[in-house]
Amino acid sequence: MGEIGIHVEQPQLVPALVGGFVLILGHCSLITKERLFLSETLLAMVYGIVIGPSVLKWINPVEWSSNDLQLTQEFSRYCLAIEVMIAGVTLPKRYLQTEWISLLMLLLPVMTVMWIISGSIVKVTFDMPFLQALAIGACVAPTDPVLANAILKGMFAETHVPLRLRNILTAESGANDGLGYPFLFFALYLMRIGGGSAIGTWLYATWAYQIILSIAIGAVTGYIARKTLRYAEAAGWVDKESFLLSSIMLALALVGVCTIIGTDDILCCFVAGNSFTWDDWFRVETEDTGLQEVLNGFLSMSFFMYFGASIPWSAYTSANMLAPWRIVVTVIAVMVIRRLPVIMALYGIIPAIKNWQDALFAGWFGPIGVSAIFYAAETIKQIEEHSDSNAGRVAEIVYPIVCSIVFGSVLVHGVTIPLVLMGKRVKTGFSLSAASLRTQATNTPLTEKLGWFGKRRQNTDKDDRGLEENQPTSATSPQTAYICMSESIEQQPRQSSTQLATDSLPLSSSDTIGNAGRTKDT
């Protein structure tokens, strides 16, 4: 800093680029999220690709550390820990107890089928042994809480997706990230040890030490943290800022402790978050503060900017078995058949998924993101540390394959909602045009021809928020009732997500996902 001039180096350029992007996006956040329904993670990933070494070459994450794989894994670890803690905290009172059947079905049979299908796709596409393919399939089996939060929050989800469906998908994404370890180490132990010894090691080292121990640690620490915080708050010892940060600090502490003893830190954080808000006290106290949403948004955008800049585009060549056609086929197959068929087949025994519309939404929106990157890095680490000769080229190709699938998931799930709404608007435009022609032929005003439904669709074309008006009384015409209700909605302050989801009025079947044959959610 002693010389006058411009010093363009990555340590100074990175905060300028990240901060500038978040600031500019924040200035138009309502437009991008609630009108265009574009995912922040999608925009962040595209931005990372543009400023990364493949386009503008302004930043290159590979140069930030001598071990860029470890940097990626630790970045993803802390993002996941905070995200699953937030997921656990935002769930309703005693949720794991009341919805244990639905969660158990999603975590065991559904996730097992997702793992096997993903592994089978990799085996067929890349022509590799099934155990090696299962190791790669284990990385993309869990649904991602970071991307799930981007889908399950916001105006579209709060007005079109039932609260019970949002809750179960949040719980699933938080829990199955930690449960990726058994699937990954099942394949790794069979390649490393083989036979019955591999199964025995898998049972006590993975299930007993990593899974069961982490659940016990999370439940106990969450309970203790809740009791001590409640006592401190009642005694007047804790200020507002420390109160709001308590769950985040708990997540960071648990990551450190679990990493030291070698147990499952991600699953531990989710269980601790749910135990921390078991009586609903902390969730109710903090739901209107917005702190958790702010942290979630900043973490997700930061990570996917990093991810976009670190995608190994140069690895996708025929020379290393990663020909572009193999990658494209893998991404499409994983997006289409990894999750949707099994959810559609089993939704009848999942109480939280009431009908086929719910199953369609839950089956399609099973995003792959930060957790897949974390497990890909863990796979490479395990293979290199133990010199697994039977692992073949898994350590070489797992990261590029997983990155391509994550890229496809962010892209596909990020544009699904805008495309659906665009289709609705086009359909509405054609319907109104045809009705207008018929109305002109009979000299009948369009609003009289279409009545209450036509006025509602015209309003939906202007603002696709899906809010439904009150049923008109016998003394009020449908048109007058709709106009009055629309004005009252515009004048009301923005509601919290829980209140909006539980108090919103019924929606029409054309605007609501999974509304057919279903009573109002409470």
Side-chain angles (χ1 to χ4, degrees):
M1 295 297 294
E3 298 181 359
I4 298 177
I6 298 176
H7 305 275
V8 181
E9 298 179 1
Q10 292 206 30
Q12 294 80 33
L13 192 59
V14 169
L17 293 173
V18 173
F21 173 79
V22 175
L23 181 64
I24 294 173
L25 187 61
H27 280 56
C28 54
S29 56
L30 281 178
I31 296 176
T32 57
K33 290 191 293 186
E34 297 187 5
R35 293 185 184 179
L36 301 177
F37 296 98
L38 289 174
S39 169
E40 290 179 339
T41 55
L42 173 60
L43 298 176
M45 184 185 71
V46 173
Y47 180 70
I49 294 173
V50 172
I51 65 176
S54 299
V55 183
L56 296 179
K57 299 180 175 60
W58 288 352
I59 62 172
N60 187 2
V62 176
E63 301 175 354
W64 296 354
S65 172
S66 58
N67 190 344
D68 59 295
L69 183 67
Q70 183 181 11
L71 174 63
T72 301
Q73 185 177 22
E74 294 306 313
F75 193 2
S76 60
R77 183 195 304 276
Y78 283 95
C79 282
L80 284 174
I82 294 175
E83 290 289 344
V84 299
M85 173 63 72
I86 292 175
V89 167
T90 55
L91 291 174
K93 181 178 181 180
R94 302 176 183 271
Y95 189 80
L96 297 185
Q97 176 181 329
T98 57
E99 293 291 344
W100 69 271
I101 297 178
S102 297
L103 193 57
L104 189 67
M105 292 299 300
L106 290 170
L107 294 179
L108 292 181
V110 171
M111 190 173 177
T112 301
V113 173
M114 290 164 60
W115 168 51
I116 295 174
I117 290 177
S118 301
S120 301
I121 293 171
V122 173
K123 171 182 169 50
V124 172
T125 308
F126 294 94
D127 191 22
M128 59 193 309
F130 191 50
L131 275 180
Q132 298 178 14
L134 283 179
I136 300 176
C139 299
V140 298
T143 56
D144 187 66
V146 180
L147 292 179
N149 184 74
I151 296 170
L152 299 175
K153 303 293 183 182
M155 183 64 69
F156 179 87
E158 291 173 353
T159 56
H160 291 78
V161 184
L163 179 61
R164 56 171 171 74
L165 188 58
R166 283 186 277 136
N167 283 337
I168 193 61
L169 294 179
T170 299
E172 181 200 10
S173 65
N176 68 8
D177 275 356
L179 287 175
Y181 277 107
F183 300 100
L184 174 61
F185 280 96
F186 180 83
L188 291 179
Y189 284 144
L190 284 177
M191 288 188 293
R192 184 183 307 164
I193 304 173
S197 300
I199 302 300
T201 303
W202 178 66
L203 289 175
Y204 76 78
T206 303
W207 279 103
Y209 190 77
Q210 287 191 321
I211 302 302
I212 297 177
L213 179 60
S214 66
I215 292 175
I217 293 174
V220 172
T221 54
Y223 173 82
I224 295 174
R226 169 164 48 91
K227 291 296 184 180
T228 55
L229 180 64
R230 191 152 195 171
Y231 180 83
E233 197 272 339
W237 294 351
V238 59
D239 61 8
K240 180 180 178 181
E241 292 78 11
S242 300
F243 182 86
L244 295 176
L245 285 173
S246 55
S247 62
I248 307 301
M249 296 302 104
L250 177 62
L252 297 180
L254 287 175
V255 169
V257 171
C258 291
T259 304
I260 291 173
I261 65 177
T263 190
D264 191 342
D265 48 351
I266 307 302
L267 182 60
C268 182
C269 286
F270 172 73
V271 174
N274 200 262
S275 177
F276 190 57
T277 186
W278 190 254
D279 59 358
D280 229 20
W281 170 69
F282 185 79
R283 184 184 69 84
V284 172
E285 291 290 327
T286 59
E287 66 178 349
D288 293 328
T289 61
L291 174 64
Q292 295 172 350
E293 289 78 5
V294 170
L295 286 174
N296 168 72
F298 180 72
L299 280 176
S300 61
M301 285 190 289
S302 300
F303 182 85
F304 280 97
M305 274 187 274
Y306 173 86
F307 168 73
S310 60
I311 296 176
W313 300 105
S314 60
Y316 302 113
T317 61
S318 301
N320 53 1
M321 208 171 70
L322 296 174
W325 73 265
R326 297 179 187 269
I327 296 297
V328 172
V329 170
T330 301
V331 172
I332 294 175
V334 169
M335 292 295 104
V336 175
I337 65 177
R338 158 183 164 266
R339 178 178 172 87
L340 183 58
V342 64
I343 293 290
M344 295 298 293
L346 298 181
Y347 79 87
I349 56 177
I350 304 176
I353 301 179
K354 299 296 185 182
N355 49 54
W356 70 267
Q357 292 96 334
D358 287 356
L360 184 63
F361 182 87
W364 178 249
F365 287 104
I368 305 167
V370 182
S371 58
I373 301 297
F374 173 79
Y375 282 116
E378 180 68 20
T379 302
I380 299 173
K381 175 184 174 183
Q382 291 293 327
I383 292 175
E384 292 179 348
E385 286 182 353
H386 296 87
S387 301
D388 293 338
S389 58
N390 294 327
R393 302 185 62 188
V394 173
E396 180 182 348
I397 66 175
V398 60
Y399 190 74
I401 292 176
V402 169
C403 283
S404 65
I405 296 175
V406 172
F407 173 83
S409 179
V410 175
L411 180 63
V412 169
H413 294 122
V415 301
T416 296
I417 293 176
L419 289 178
V420 169
L421 293 177
M422 186 182 301
K424 285 175 54 181
R425 289 171 179 172
V426 171
K427 181 179 178 180
T428 301
F430 280 125
S431 299
L432 290 176
S433 298
S436 178
L437 291 175
R438 293 193 300 268
T439 304
Q440 290 175 4
T442 57
N443 293 324
T444 304
L446 178 60
T447 54
E448 295 181 12
K449 184 74 177 179
L450 295 180
W452 174 81
F453 179 75
K455 292 184 72 63
R456 182 190 179 281
R457 297 302 291 176
Q458 290 177 358
N459 182 75
T460 303
D461 215 23
K462 299 177 182 178
D463 187 4
D464 243 327
R465 297 185 178 182
L467 294 173
E468 184 68 55
E469 59 273 20
N470 284 327
Q471 295 294 332
T473 60
S474 57
T476 307
S477 67
Q479 292 85 351
T480 305
Y482 171 78
I483 294 172
C484 294
M485 188 58 194
S486 299
E487 292 175 352
S488 66
I489 289 175
E490 293 296 329
Q491 295 172 359
Q492 290 176 358
R494 188 181 303 274
Q495 295 173 303
S496 67
S497 60
T498 304
Q499 182 181 359
L500 181 59
T502 54
D503 296 341
S504 61
L505 297 171
L507 302 172
S508 68
S509 58
S510 63
D511 290 339
T512 306
I513 296 178
N515 195 44
R518 185 175 69 238
T519 57
K520 177 184 177 184
D521 294 307
T522 58

